[in-house]
Amino acid sequence: MTNHVKDGGPAFPVFDELHGEIVGGMSLRDWFAGQIAAAMIPTIKGGHERHEAWSVIAEWSYELADAMLAERERK
């Protein structure tokens, strides 16, 4: 059994015209998480606890991105 994460496919697909296929692009999951993190980062205050906050933001960002993808799939 695999633990494949549903990533929503490419957010900005790159199409290879020669081979007629999508060959890359950032996943929609990564794009969602990046947008969420960008919105949360300005809330971090300075200090040594800043590094802990970065890990929490990254974790929450992917959790929310996964929830967004699940909701998108449900509809």
Side-chain angles (χ1 to χ4, degrees), residues 15-39:
F15 188 73
D16 179 351
E17 290 186 29
L18 181 63
H19 297 101
E21 62 186 9
I22 294 173
V23 294
M26 175 188 294
S27 76
L28 188 56
R29 180 177 187 253
D30 286 338
W31 190 79
F32 281 164
Q35 296 298 306
I36 295 161

Side-chain angles (χ1 to χ4, degrees), residues 2-73:
T2 62
N3 283 341
H4 178 70
V5 175
K6 293 184 179 181
D7 65 6
F12 307 103
V14 176
F15 188 73
D16 179 351
E17 290 186 29
L18 181 63
H19 297 101
E21 62 186 9
I22 294 173
V23 294
M26 175 188 294
S27 76
L28 188 56
R29 180 177 187 253
D30 286 338
W31 190 79
F32 281 164
Q35 296 298 306
I36 295 161
M40 296 173 82
I41 286 174
T43 67
I44 299 175
K45 305 295 182 218
H48 68 279
E49 63 280 348
R50 182 175 51 177
H51 294 285
E52 277 183 35
W54 291 342
S55 293
V56 171
I57 286 174
E59 183 180 341
W60 287 353
S61 295
Y62 275 100
E63 285 179 15
L64 183 52
D66 289 341
M68 292 171 70
L69 288 169
E71 182 62 21
R72 185 174 185 257
E73 198 171 290

